[in-house]
Amino acid sequence: VLQVCYTADSVWVRAEGMTNDMGQYLNPGSCEPQGYVFRIPRNSTVPSSKTESPKVGAIGVLLNGIPIYGLSNSYSWNGTTNTNMGGLGIWNVEVGLAEGFVLDTAFGAHPQQDGAYHSHNTPYRLYKNTPTTQHSPLVGYAFDGYPVYGPYGYSTAMDNTSAIARMKTGYSLRSITVRQTLPDGTVLSSGQYGPNVSSTYPIGTYIEDYEWLAANGGDLDEYNGRFCVTPEYPSGTYAYFVTIDAAGNAEFPYYIGVEYYGDPDDANITTGPGFVYPTIPSSGTTCLLTGIAEMSSQPLISVYPNPSNGVFIVYTDNNSGDLNQVHVFNQLGEKVYTSNLVMGMNQVAVPVSFGKGMYFVRAISKSGKFTTSQKIIVE
């Protein structure tokens, strides 16, 4: 995430959709910066008529700016050609079974053809260091403004002193052998039928092979969330939870169900060619710089002591990027310090007038094409 701006009603998140610790995915392609701007409502509303969660494209965003994608890989059954190509969008291929084996073990993610890295199932690295005896951390937000947490929460929804438990989904595979009805009971015409359940098209091939049942005894509702207290919301909030099975593997529906619980801001939802992301208002917003756009895959500088009193050392012992300048930015994106950078130790002093807080130390090569950065706290 490069920038966060907010008003009383909305939050704007500017991000490239990449991090410096992405995992090894197995499909071809490479990740490219995307220039995202997502707008998330701060005052979420709960409509009586729910909005379908997009099966393809972004449905929310992780805290590191990686978009959360929907439940399908964009293919659906075509009864005319008897393939999953160019279908009617009634029997939609479920992404976990279709693509789960190519996703990385960092964020359950991979890039699409245009280089957009995105998460389909579980963002392991955002919660793996939190013990299962503690409430899982906040990992992102859905586009209806409600938070998304890792897989563990309080066993009693409104009691933060209750035991910690894995949040179990209420979704399960349907007991069907033919695909002639939808999970909500809708009876389809013959031209809308899906393929019979078989070894070629096993149960679980399609999103519509799943249904939510209260009888399953899950902790989460049909939207894959619940109203509960959390560490960030001690008075209670509706929250979605990442779902995993007892072995820790990603489990359908992964993030949110087939519909949003709240009313999503549709400015984020891609509608086809020419889609333009929301624009951050030029006035009336409070903005914080939270990152630096250009990041190297390996940190080539050390910054210490951290925290510091404003005077610290920038040390570099690797000149492969021909680093020759160091800049320091505050959270508003203002450059507060600049000097030449030499091999070894470089003393930096942030002007006292800029005060305490988080700063970004950025080293730049002579060409300007290579940069690396670190954060530092000034106390």
Side-chain angles (χ1 to χ4, degrees):
V1 174
L2 306 178
Q3 187 179 36
V4 175
C5 300
Y6 63 93
T7 63
D9 298 321
S10 300
V11 172
W12 288 261
V13 177
R14 184 169 67 86
E16 296 291 6
M18 299 172 63
T19 76
N20 61 0
D21 63 347
M22 293 179 289
Q24 182 61 56
Y25 46 85
L26 298 183
N27 58 299
S30 60
C31 304
E32 300 292 340
Q34 298 296 307
Y36 296 125
V37 175
F38 300 115
R39 189 176 70 197
I40 301 171
R42 294 187 67 187
N43 304 302
S44 304
T45 58
V46 183
S48 56
S49 178
K50 302 299 185 182
T51 299
E52 184 176 293
S53 171
K55 295 179 176 65
V56 179
I59 61 175
V61 60
L62 297 176
L63 292 187
N64 56 14
I66 294 171
I68 302 168
Y69 266 35
L71 289 169
S72 178
N73 68 350
S74 80
Y75 293 104
S76 64
W77 178 252
N78 184 332
T80 301
T81 61
N82 290 329
T83 68
N84 286 322
M85 301 292 290
L88 300 176
I90 297 173
W91 296 95
N92 298 277
V93 174
E94 195 277 307
V95 72
L97 185 62
E99 297 184 353
F101 68 99
V102 303
L103 303 179
D104 65 27
T105 56
F107 302 102
H110 66 161
Q112 59 177 213
Q113 294 90 334
D114 63 358
Y117 184 72
H118 57 279
S119 174
H120 278 298
N121 54 41
T122 185
Y124 301 98
R125 286 189 178 169
L126 294 183
Y127 66 80
K128 71 173 185 176
N129 292 327
T130 300
T132 57
T133 54
Q134 296 180 19
H135 194 290
S136 288
L138 181 70
V139 300
Y141 279 86
F143 287 152
D144 59 1
Y146 287 111
V148 182
Y149 281 86
Y152 291 88
Y154 301 120
S155 55
T156 301
M158 298 303 293
D159 183 0
N160 63 4
T161 66
S162 61
I164 300 298
R166 176 171 59 90
M167 295 292 99
K168 300 181 182 65
T169 180
Y171 279 88
S172 60
L173 290 168
R174 300 167 66 191
S175 180
I176 55 175
T177 58
V178 294
R179 295 182 170 101
Q180 299 177 2
T181 62
L182 296 180
D184 63 3
T186 299
V187 178
L188 302 173
S189 63
S190 59
Q192 299 172 318
Y193 290 172
N196 291 341
V197 176
S198 66
S199 58
T200 304
Y201 301 103
I203 194 71
T205 298
Y206 302 98
I207 297 171
E208 294 74 21
D209 287 349
Y210 289 86
E211 61 183 342
W212 183 89
L213 297 173
N216 286 332
D219 301 289
L220 307 175
D221 61 21
E222 60 265 46
Y223 313 106
N224 216 43
R226 64 176 187 169
F227 194 89
C228 59
V229 293
T230 72
E232 289 78 14
Y233 297 88
S235 298
T237 181
Y238 185 85
Y240 300 103
F241 285 82
V242 169
T243 43
I244 60 174
D245 63 20
N249 301 312
E251 188 171 33
F252 186 94
Y254 315 117
Y255 286 105
I256 73 175
V258 296
E259 293 179 323
Y260 286 103
Y261 174 74
D263 188 14
D265 187 331
D266 59 10
N268 305 294
I269 298 174
T270 305
T271 55
F275 174 79
V276 177
Y277 285 99
T279 300
I280 300 175
S282 58
S283 62
T285 55
T286 300
C287 294
L288 299 175
L289 180 74
T290 61
I292 299 297
E294 298 87 7
M295 295 282 288
S296 68
S297 60
Q298 297 180 348
L300 299 179
I301 60 172
S302 298
V303 180
Y304 60 89
N306 190 5
S308 83
N309 62 0
V311 179
F312 53 89
I313 298 297
V314 176
Y315 179 85
T316 176
D317 61 0
N318 186 331
N319 204 30
S320 62
D322 198 17
L323 302 174
N324 76 325
Q325 279 196 325
V326 60
H327 301 309
V328 179
F329 297 84
N330 64 15
Q331 292 189 71
L332 298 178
E334 299 168 328
K335 186 187 296 183
V336 301
Y337 179 93
T338 186
S339 74
N340 291 331
L341 183 68
V342 299
M343 292 286 290
M345 294 189 297
N346 300 262
Q347 181 172 291
V348 173
V350 174
V352 176
S353 60
F354 282 96
K356 301 176 181 180
M358 182 170 64
Y359 290 82
F360 302 89
V361 182
R362 180 179 181 185
I364 304 175
S365 66
K366 290 178 181 179
S367 66
K369 294 181 179 180
F370 182 88
T371 67
T372 185
S373 63
Q374 299 286 322
K375 296 178 182 178
I376 189 168
I377 302 297
V378 173
E379 296 181 335

